Amino acid sequence: MKKIGSVFIIVFLLFSCVNPHNPMYEGESGAFEEGNEIEKEEGGEDGTNPFEDKLFKKEGEKIILKTNNGKYWGVRGYTLWKFLGKEIDKKAPSIKLIKKEGASEAGYGLVCYSTKTEAGQKKYSMLVILIHVDGKYSVGYVVDGLYKHIEWKKESEKLNKGYGIENIISVKKEGKKIEIYFNDESYSGSPSYTINDSSEYLLGEGDAGLIGVVSAKDKFPDDFVWIEYKVK
């Protein structure tokens, strides 16, 4: 099996569902058991059901995350992300994305402004922008394996609601200021969210990529998590 770089991070249960043994509420943090940074496409060891083990598969202009594989499921959720290198503008990344299947509370979106410098590096910083099918968004950052929230499931009138509905996340950085736009790929309107001092979150100028979250409410293998992305 091809190499997968694993990064175990602490994040909020906004990415999954509430653990009945350790209930969490808005604004509090909790343990997120597992996450994988996918460095290369992964294939089935024995050649059976290879699609189940293919993550962030490129088909034409789309990059598709579709899986019902139990190894990407956890009782408190599971996060998958992939840096895209030269395939995306790391200074002003912009993606179109559609969620077709999967639990409604699980986010999907963009990671950017990382400090990662080499494959397999386990400690690095990155900005995390997630949207949800109910028209809300979450902003957070990872530093040395720890996730911290900046904004928790805030509603935006600029986000389109529902499954199979397209949204666009566009971000730009000028100096220490980061501006996040929804459905405004030309950056012509007012940003939906602004970080005035990115140095507070130890962010860098590195790679951008895609992120998708599997919720504990996704019942694998009967259910799929199915998200489609298109890099602008």
Side-chain angles (χ1 to χ4, degrees):
M1 183 178 292
K2 296 181 179 179
K3 180 181 178 183
I4 293 182
S6 295
V7 178
F8 293 88
I9 63 177
I10 303 299
V11 303
F12 286 79
L13 287 176
L14 65 90
F15 286 166
S16 59
C17 69
V18 174
N19 183 341
H21 303 293
N22 183 22
M24 306 303 301
Y25 303 95
E26 289 195 355
E28 294 185 305
S29 63
F32 191 82
E33 290 190 343
E34 294 177 295
N36 272 337
E37 174 202 337
I38 307 303
E39 293 180 357
K40 296 181 180 180
E41 292 292 3
E42 183 185 8
E45 277 186 294
D46 58 3
T48 60
N49 297 321
F51 181 75
E52 289 186 353
D53 290 332
K54 288 279 188 176
L55 299 174
F56 297 107
K57 182 180 179 182
K58 192 166 186 180
E59 294 185 359
E61 295 183 335
K62 296 179 182 179
I63 300 172
I64 300 173
L65 170 61
K66 185 176 182 181
T67 186
N68 63 347
N69 193 318
K71 68 182 175 182
Y72 305 122
W73 183 93
V75 295
R76 299 177 72 182
Y78 203 103
T79 305
L80 299 162
W81 66 96
K82 181 180 179 69
F83 290 113
L84 297 181
K86 295 180 180 179
E87 293 186 35
I88 191 170
D89 183 351
K90 67 181 183 180
K91 293 182 179 180
S94 183
I95 59 169
K96 291 182 177 180
L97 60 173
I98 296 171
K99 185 166 185 175
K100 293 193 170 183
E101 295 182 26
S104 62
E105 71 273 15
Y108 54 106
L110 177 72
V111 296
C112 53
Y113 306 127
S114 70
T115 58
K116 187 177 180 185
T117 57
E118 60 186 29
Q121 182 180 343
K122 291 187 176 183
K123 290 191 175 183
Y124 53 83
S125 305
M126 64 181 181
L127 184 67
V128 180
I129 303 161
L130 296 172
I131 64 173
H132 308 266
V133 296
D134 60 0
K136 295 179 181 178
Y137 69 93
S138 301
V139 180
Y141 64 106
V142 173
V143 177
D144 292 341
L146 298 178
Y147 178 93
K148 300 182 179 181
H149 86 290
I150 301 172
E151 190 66 63
W152 172 294
K153 284 196 173 180
K154 185 174 181 179
E155 192 155 3
S156 173
E157 294 180 354
K158 296 181 180 180
L159 284 171
N160 301 315
K161 298 180 181 181
Y163 290 92
I165 304 298
E166 182 179 272
N167 280 287
I168 303 171
I169 302 174
S170 302
V171 190
K172 67 177 181 179
K173 186 173 185 287
E174 295 180 2
K176 294 182 179 180
K177 179 181 285 188
I178 295 174
E179 295 179 337
I180 300 170
Y181 296 78
F182 298 127
N183 295 313
D184 182 5
E185 55 193 307
S186 63
Y187 306 93
S188 58
S190 299
S192 296
Y193 194 82
T194 300
I195 296 172
N196 290 308
D197 185 0
S198 61
S199 64
E200 180 180 351
Y201 308 113
L202 304 178
L203 301 173
E205 305 290 336
D207 284 350
L210 312 174
I211 187 168
V213 179
V214 177
S215 168
K217 291 185 179 179
D218 290 306
K219 304 303 181 184
F220 289 0
D222 295 333
D223 299 337
F224 277 87
V225 168
W226 182 359
I227 306 164
E228 295 185 354
Y229 311 81
K230 183 179 178 182
V231 177
K232 292 298 297 173

